[in-house]
Amino acid sequence: MLSRLANHRFWQLLAALAAVCAYPAFYVYGHNLGEARLVEVLPPSLTFLAIGLIAWLLFRILSGSLPAGAFAALLFMFVFMHYVQIEAEIRKLLPDWRWWRTAPAALFLLINLALVLHARDPHRKRAGGFHHMTLAIGALFLVLGGGQAVRGMHALARAAPPAGPPAPAAAPQAEPAAPAGPAARRPNFYFFIFDEYARQDVLQKYTGYDNTPFLRSLESMGFHVDYSGHAASSSTRACLANLLLCSTLYTNLAGAPVAIPRPLLLESFRNAGYRICLKLHMNYQISRDLIDVEFKTTTVLTSMSLEQTVAEASFLAFLRGAGNEGKRADALGLFRQVAEAVAAGPGNPQFVFVHFMQPHEPFIFDDNGDPVAYENMHNWLDPAFYVGQLRWTSRKITELAAAILEADPGAVVLIQSDHGARYLSGRQDEAEKRACLNVLYLGGQRQELAGVSTVNTLRLALNYALQAGWEMEPD
């Protein structure tokens, strides 16, 4: 009887471990239901399960208890499977640490946890408690994995425009949408946000790099550069919400909305008859009828395969030393898709709104576009890695701007960053963290920019392109 009970508990613990090990693959699958196949979940799940079984055996020996060993193994696998993100967060607190310090430290803590469990419970009186905790964790991850599949099916169902009336907005609208008008007379409007791109004075102060030549080159092309540009917040979610609503409503993350189903910015272009092409790296649950083309990027997923995606988020990426391949391919793919949209733009009024993740970490391009060593992907301690990716990003901006002006000199091109660089130094104040890139081209027309906020710059551009008639907001 005891033998059958122990056998039953073993299979329960194994099922819990399997649920945890399969979750990353189901997470990716749930975000890629339109492209991924269910069978692709199997290889990474089995790989993690095999590693988890080895960890379970080790911690079983150290703890002297099957349930305690399983509990420690679950913690080990959580760290192992999400190691890249954990490493990135640790590096924000301890910038000079590297994976060869963090990984042994995590393993040391877990081994000591198992030894402490053995020392405090030599007769395994608390085995039942660890058994129940392990099953609870397994059940939680099983529910989360199923939730990702439901999320993916919901996203597919929302792909088609709804038949009923549009959903009400979940955030306040500061202005009525711009009035409609003949689309044929409207200029194409390209709005690009480059994440964490520092203003030139802050960049030079903390890194010594002079970005003025890049800005002068944009001016020579007809762009207007705001050398004192600034955002209302140093939070990406708050900044993007302000831009989507065309108003400075949020100054910090705490008040920023999670959902903006019908943002004023997109409603204005829809009313004016524009084709809307979009890519944001924040999910604001925007109504699908406001989006004609959503550029495909795979920052959460990968541009190679589901298995590689899961591996690149885990400690396997460090062991392989090539964990930034998918991220690089993804970034380059987004630039390529935007370039294709630009080529198709003239004569077809369109609004292209894209949030590029560069030069924000992870640092995956040096100034020549070559890969960065994996251990330096989140290295803010040495500013050379941020500056290298910024210089590469600047060249891509120049290429994109030149392509637009060559194909469509009458277009509106707005190039901003959501906020400035926030981790260049512990001495930065809030104003320096909000000091950002702000560049505007108005179809060759003159427009002076001096100390204009990113939201007001957007309003200027909308007044020109859509005759919106909006007043400037006080900073």
Side-chain angles (χ1 to χ4, degrees):
M1 181 69 180
L2 290 176
S3 175
R4 279 193 295 176
L5 180 60
N7 189 49
H8 181 64
R9 287 185 172 182
F10 168 79
W11 288 109
Q12 287 180 333
L13 294 172
L14 180 61
L17 181 63
V20 171
C21 292
Y23 174 75
F26 273 102
Y27 178 86
V28 173
Y29 175 71
H31 284 73
N32 253 349
L33 269 183
E35 300 177 7
R37 296 175 300 157
L38 185 59
V39 69
E40 295 180 65
V41 170
L42 198 57
S45 299
L46 292 178
T47 299
F48 286 149
L49 181 58
I51 296 170
L53 288 172
I54 295 172
W56 188 6
L57 175 62
L58 171 64
F59 292 120
R60 161 67 178 86
I61 295 171
L62 294 174
S63 67
S65 167
L66 195 68
F71 178 73
L74 289 189
L75 297 180
F76 172 84
M77 289 309 300
F78 181 83
V79 174
F80 188 95
M81 295 185 303
H82 302 89
Y83 191 82
V84 169
Q85 184 59 41
I86 293 172
E87 169 83 1
E89 296 303 319
I90 290 175
R91 291 288 292 278
K92 289 180 181 178
L93 300 174
L94 303 169
D96 58 338
W97 272 49
R98 298 291 188 274
W99 70 267
W100 58 81
R101 297 176 184 174
T102 308
L107 185 59
F108 175 78
L109 291 174
L110 290 171
I111 288 175
N112 276 273
L113 171 64
L115 292 174
V116 167
L117 294 177
H118 185 275
R120 294 180 63 105
D121 191 23
H123 303 294
R124 293 180 288 181
K125 295 180 180 179
R126 302 177 184 175
F130 288 112
H131 180 84
H132 293 311
M133 284 192 293
T134 302
L135 293 187
I137 294 173
L140 174 63
F141 275 83
L142 185 63
V143 171
L144 291 174
Q148 294 304 322
V150 172
R151 176 201 177 281
M153 288 186 284
H154 178 65
L156 283 180
R158 292 179 64 220
Q173 302 280 4
E175 302 276 358
R185 296 202 301 268
R186 307 288 190 190
N188 289 313
F189 196 119
Y190 300 94
F191 186 9
F192 304 132
I193 297 175
F194 292 88
D195 207 299
E196 200 117 2
Y197 197 114
R199 200 171 65 197
Q200 81 289 339
D201 55 334
V202 177
L203 183 65
Q204 187 161 25
K205 176 180 177 180
Y206 290 106
T207 71
Y209 178 69
D210 183 9
N211 202 32
T212 305
F214 162 66
L215 301 176
R216 297 298 188 201
S217 70
L218 290 179
E219 287 179 324
S220 69
M221 298 167 66
F223 283 85
H224 306 284
V225 177
D226 185 355
Y227 286 89
S228 51
H230 57 278
S233 173
S234 58
S235 160
T236 297
R237 181 168 288 279
C239 289
L240 288 182
N242 288 336
L243 294 171
L244 285 169
L245 297 170
C246 305
S247 183
T248 306
L249 299 173
Y250 308 103
T251 58
N252 55 64
L253 178 61
V258 175
I260 311 178
R262 308 197 69 80
L264 176 62
L265 179 63
L266 301 189
E267 288 269 32
S268 296
F269 281 102
R270 176 59 80 219
N271 289 347
Y274 274 69
R275 176 174 181 260
I276 298 177
C277 307
L278 179 75
K279 180 57 195 177
L280 299 179
H281 287 286
M282 292 270 179
N283 181 15
Y284 288 98
Q285 302 175 33
I286 296 172
S287 297
R288 298 298 304 182
D289 65 308
L290 291 177
I291 305 172
D292 296 300
V293 176
E294 184 168 14
F295 294 124
K296 175 64 178 174
T297 67
T298 51
T299 300
V300 175
L301 315 175
T302 186
S303 44
M304 294 182 289
S305 73
L306 187 149
E307 183 176 2
Q308 288 170 310
T309 300
V310 176
E312 286 192 5
S314 73
F315 189 68
L316 294 175
F318 290 84
L319 299 179
R320 296 174 179 176
N324 56 18
E325 292 179 2
K327 295 180 179 64
R328 286 171 53 82
D330 182 67
L332 293 170
L334 183 55
F335 276 104
R336 182 178 62 253
Q337 292 173 78
V338 173
E340 292 170 354
V342 169
N348 182 26
Q350 62 178 347
F351 174 54
V352 179
F353 183 25
V354 180
H355 175 202
F356 294 92
M357 286 304 296
Q358 290 71 40
H360 190 287
E361 64 176 314
F363 307 125
I364 53 178
F365 299 96
D366 66 11
D367 55 354
N368 294 317
D370 295 326
V372 174
Y374 204 89
E375 60 267 20
N376 289 318
M377 285 173 56
H378 301 278
N379 186 355
W380 282 98
L381 193 65
D382 184 348
F385 298 104
Y386 171 76
V387 170
Q389 184 147 285
L390 180 139
R391 293 179 63 184
W392 175 85
T393 302
S394 298
R395 283 201 299 275
K396 300 301 288 185
I397 292 174
T398 302
E399 293 173 7
L400 202 53
I404 292 172
L405 298 193
E406 180 180 359
D408 188 10
V412 173
V413 186
L414 178 56
I415 302 172
Q416 297 180 337
S417 50
D418 49 351
H419 47 68
R422 299 165 292 181
Y423 307 108
L424 294 175
S425 170
R427 304 189 308 275
Q428 286 179 263
D429 59 29
E430 180 64 18
E432 290 176 327
K433 294 178 181 179
R434 294 188 288 107
C436 62
L437 181 69
N438 191 25
V439 181
L440 177 63
Y441 176 86
L442 288 179
Q445 302 296 314
R446 294 288 302 170
Q447 176 62 60
E448 295 299 326
L449 292 180
V452 183
S453 71
T454 52
V455 167
N456 277 337
T457 305
L458 174 60
R459 285 181 161 234
L460 284 171
L462 291 172
N463 286 344
Y464 172 83
L466 305 181
Q467 291 80 52
W470 293 341
E471 296 181 357
M472 297 300 100
E473 292 190 333
D475 285 336

